[in-house]
Amino acid sequence: VVAAGIADQWLPLVITPPHAVRVTFRVLRALRGIRVLRIVRLLLEADLRWAESARFQSFIGGVIAFNALLMGLETDIKWAGWSYVEHVLLTIY
C-alpha cells in the first residue's frame, strides 16, 4: 500500500510511465478510495463511548495543554528533537 502510494506520487515526476503503468496507478487509487470508505464505515459502526469518559477527556486535555506549552518552547529554544516530540503528539491525536 505504501509502496503503491509512493510510486503513484513520485514516479510520474521522475519519468513518464507507460500507459499500462498509468492505468495500474488509476486502479490502485480507486482501491485506496474503497479502503477509505471501509474505514469510515468501521468508524461509524464502532462503539466510541470510551471517548466520552472523564479519564479520556482529561488525558486529551493534558496532551493539548502540553502541546501548547511545547509550541511556546519551540519558538524560544532551538533543539533538533522537537520534530520527534511532535510526532509522538501526532500519534496520540
Side-chain angles (χ1 to χ4, degrees):
V1 171
V2 174
I6 291 171
D8 180 31
Q9 296 296 317
W10 292 98
L11 199 60
L13 297 175
V14 178
I15 63 168
T16 304
H19 179 69
V21 174
R22 288 193 305 260
V23 170
T24 303
F25 285 161
R26 287 186 191 122
V27 170
L28 290 174
R29 274 189 218 127
L31 291 175
R32 275 186 281 173
I34 292 169
R35 194 170 22 251
V36 168
L37 292 176
R38 285 178 49 198
I39 292 171
V40 168
R41 182 181 57 97
L42 286 173
L43 287 175
L44 291 174
E45 294 175 355
D47 180 23
L48 299 176
R49 284 183 285 167
W50 56 270
E52 301 290 330
S53 71
R55 187 174 182 172
F56 179 77
Q57 295 286 329
S58 297
F59 173 72
I60 293 299
V63 170
I64 292 170
F66 180 68
N67 192 17
L69 175 71
L70 284 180
M71 288 189 324
L73 291 174
E74 280 181 292
T75 58
D76 294 334
I77 301 171
K78 300 294 181 199
W79 179 49
W82 291 124
S83 64
Y84 298 112
V85 176
E86 290 174 359
H87 282 86
V88 170
L89 291 173
L90 182 60
T91 302
I92 292 172
Y93 289 136

